[in-house]
Amino acid sequence: MSLSPDRTVAELRQLQERTGDENGAQRVAWTETWERARQWLREKVVAVGAEEEIDEAGNQWFTLPGASERALLLGGHIDSVPNGGWLDGCLNLAAAVEVLRRVAEEGTPPLTVRLVNGADEEGARFGRSLFGSSAAAGSMQDQDELRERRDADGIALPDALAEHGVDLDRALEARTQLDNAVAYLELHIEQGPVLESLDLPLGVVLGTFGVERHLVTFRGQAAHAGSTPMDQRRDALAGAAKLELELPEIARRVGGGAVCTMGGVVTKPGIVTSVVETAQCLLDQRHLDATWLAEMLSNAEAASRRFAHEESIEVEWEKIWSIEPIPFDDRLLDLADEAVHEVAGSSHRLPSGPLHDAAEVARAGIPTVMLFVQSLRGLSHTKLEDTRKEHLELSVQALDALASKTLASLA
Ligand SMILES: [Zn+2]
């Protein structure tokens, strides 16, 4: 029997019917609906003959034993954001089930093949993305902070996790799950417009962007909007506005897919009758190359100081969060290119702007690669998220071809 990609599409629609509503997917991690989705996956994979195990961080593992204990991992996440799309995360799991079926039918694989459903990739309820994968990768270092986190209803994170059998203090024990892993493959929707604009169904992901997030605060002087002459103002918003308009120029100069975003500005006092005294800007900068990311950051800092000087105001930078760029494995990139070529005729390499569980696994030193399938209109994290049926089917074939090549190359 051969692969049946149209079965994958039918199964994804079934999952959407069981765990979504008219507003989209509702599989937020650590909820009843999420458990229902995990049960759905369990039924599919156990029927293939794989054995289930839930680790200390809530990751759901399925193992199909091979001739060797060295393991090929296929990873995805079944959790969604509220009112999310029908493909984000679960596409890979459904496609991997199909790959497992094919592998199991052919007898004992040369390597053990494992499917992992990462717990709480999205961080939708508590604002902490990549929970399960960072625990398994051993990079989770924020337990003290996580203990204090609460959801919108005031429920503490440790209590919500305990309801699903996860003890936050033991989450890092999930690390042993990666002991025998020799490769990690993940298929995902692109969640952006690049492949569609190139008219390509599939792409090979070079790695995930490094991210620098800062709170940039400009400080001036509140003053009466009527009585303060234009040349005597110290307007904090003027500095923020100049910085915002400089960002496209900074990204253009650095190039290589650089992106800079001012995601929000809060002004105080924020009334129509006063010059702005403080403007707090949320700045997000991303690049696939660490040197260029650092260059972007220092360019933005220098520009902000220049604008502060011009406007007679002050500026102060505070780091919110950062992560280094995570390049994927060269050998797996080549195999992924071959697989995509075979299935779709041509391949294209692109970076990933969003983070994925794959980034955590790669950070732990496991050779990793991802495939992207085109997203219509580049939309994701909305019920409007969609991909053409024929492209979804090609993506299942590409993941299968990549899994075959990886097994053959590592056996
Ligand atoms: Zn995702």
Side-chain angles (χ1 to χ4, degrees):
M1 279 233 309
S2 54
L3 204 69
S4 172
D6 62 334
R7 173 164 54 186
T8 303
V9 178
E11 288 179 339
L12 285 164
R13 295 208 187 283
Q14 183 187 57
L15 177 66
Q16 182 194 19
E17 271 162 35
R18 288 203 200 164
T19 58
D21 59 24
E22 68 280 8
N23 297 315
Q26 306 297 347
R27 300 183 297 274
V28 176
W30 323 112
T31 63
E32 283 293 311
T33 311
W34 177 66
E35 284 292 0
R36 215 158 55 234
R38 295 210 300 176
Q39 176 61 25
W40 175 87
L41 182 64
R42 177 176 297 130
E43 285 163 16
K44 302 282 175 218
V45 193
V46 170
V48 183
E51 224 172 86
E52 188 197 22
E53 179 186 349
I54 304 228
D55 72 19
E56 291 83 351
N59 299 308
Q60 192 180 19
W61 295 85
F62 298 95
T63 303
L64 191 68
S68 159
E69 282 193 351
R70 297 161 70 231
L72 168 67
L73 309 184
L74 305 171
H77 63 95
I78 211 149
D79 70 301
S80 74
V81 296
N83 305 326
W86 71 297
L87 299 169
D88 182 356
C90 55
L91 166 62
N92 186 66
L93 296 173
V97 170
E98 196 56 36
V99 174
L100 276 187
R101 287 179 182 130
R102 197 267 305 158
V103 169
E105 274 169 14
E106 290 178 0
T108 305
L111 303 184
T112 294
V113 183
R114 305 185 75 198
L115 190 162
V116 55
N117 170 20
D120 202 358
E121 193 268 354
E122 299 284 5
R125 185 169 165 192
F126 293 100
R128 170 49 158 97
S129 303
L130 311 179
F131 177 88
S133 56
S134 67
S139 58
M140 178 185 276
Q141 287 169 349
D142 53 351
Q143 276 100 331
D144 287 343
E145 197 225 316
L146 291 178
R147 252 184 286 282
E148 308 302 321
R149 290 256 180 136
R150 289 178 185 275
D151 69 6
D153 298 323
I155 297 170
L157 179 144
D159 296 340
L161 270 56
E163 274 185 41
H164 298 271
V166 172
D167 176 353
L168 179 63
D169 294 323
R170 293 188 52 201
L172 274 166
E173 291 173 30
R175 258 182 300 192
T176 55
Q177 295 290 342
L178 292 183
D179 283 352
N180 294 322
V182 291
Y184 177 94
L185 312 177
E186 182 171 344
L187 162 68
H188 205 281
I189 51 168
E190 184 199 338
Q191 303 180 286
V194 174
L195 291 173
E196 188 179 40
S197 69
L198 295 170
D199 201 20
L200 292 173
L202 299 167
V204 173
V205 185
L206 285 160
T208 58
F209 275 165
V211 184
E212 286 283 356
R213 272 183 207 154
H214 289 81
L215 180 67
V216 185
T217 305
F218 289 94
R219 291 183 207 285
Q221 176 62 56
H224 197 286
S227 62
T228 316
M230 295 308 287
D231 63 354
Q232 290 179 40
R233 297 179 176 211
R234 297 177 57 226
D235 183 350
L237 183 55
K242 284 184 169 179
L243 181 59
E244 154 66 12
L245 292 177
E246 182 70 7
L247 294 179
E249 181 54 29
I250 291 172
R252 193 196 57 73
R253 269 203 308 270
V254 167
V259 284
C260 302
T261 307
M262 196 179 283
V265 182
V266 175
T267 61
K268 284 177 186 152
I271 55 173
V272 74
T273 51
S274 176
V275 172
V276 170
E277 180 158 286
T278 63
Q280 292 190 308
C281 315
L282 290 167
L283 182 63
D284 178 292
Q285 298 184 289
R286 303 186 189 213
H287 204 285
L288 191 60
D289 180 281
T291 309
W292 287 114
L293 181 61
E295 172 80 10
M296 277 165 83
L297 177 59
S298 77
N299 280 349
E301 282 170 343
S304 75
R305 281 193 294 274
R306 193 168 77 241
F307 301 142
H309 180 74
E310 289 169 8
E311 299 297 328
S312 304
I313 57 180
E314 273 114 55
V315 67
E316 182 182 300
W317 283 64
E318 185 188 329
K319 182 181 251 187
I320 300 172
W321 181 77
S322 68
I323 187 168
E324 69 271 32
I326 296 163
F328 290 154
D329 183 72
D330 283 334
R331 185 166 163 209
L332 289 178
L333 281 167
D334 288 342
L335 294 181
D337 263 336
E338 276 179 31
V340 169
H341 261 285
E342 277 175 25
V343 167
S346 62
S347 179
H348 175 72
R349 292 185 173 191
L350 70 169
S352 172
L355 284 166
H356 293 286
D357 288 328
E360 287 290 358
V361 179
R363 214 141 70 119
I366 311 298
T368 294
V369 77
M370 291 183 75
L371 299 176
F372 274 169
V373 60
Q374 188 191 107
S375 289
L376 287 173
R377 294 156 293 159
L379 295 176
S380 186
H381 285 192
T382 154
K383 68 173 179 181
L384 299 175
E385 171 187 294
D386 205 3
T387 293
R388 285 195 191 91
K389 181 169 187 280
E390 62 269 28
H391 290 175
L392 289 174
E393 294 184 4
L394 286 177
S395 76
V396 181
Q397 290 176 38
L399 180 68
D400 186 58
L402 174 58
S404 283
K405 288 173 189 298
T406 309
L407 283 172
S409 118
L410 295 174

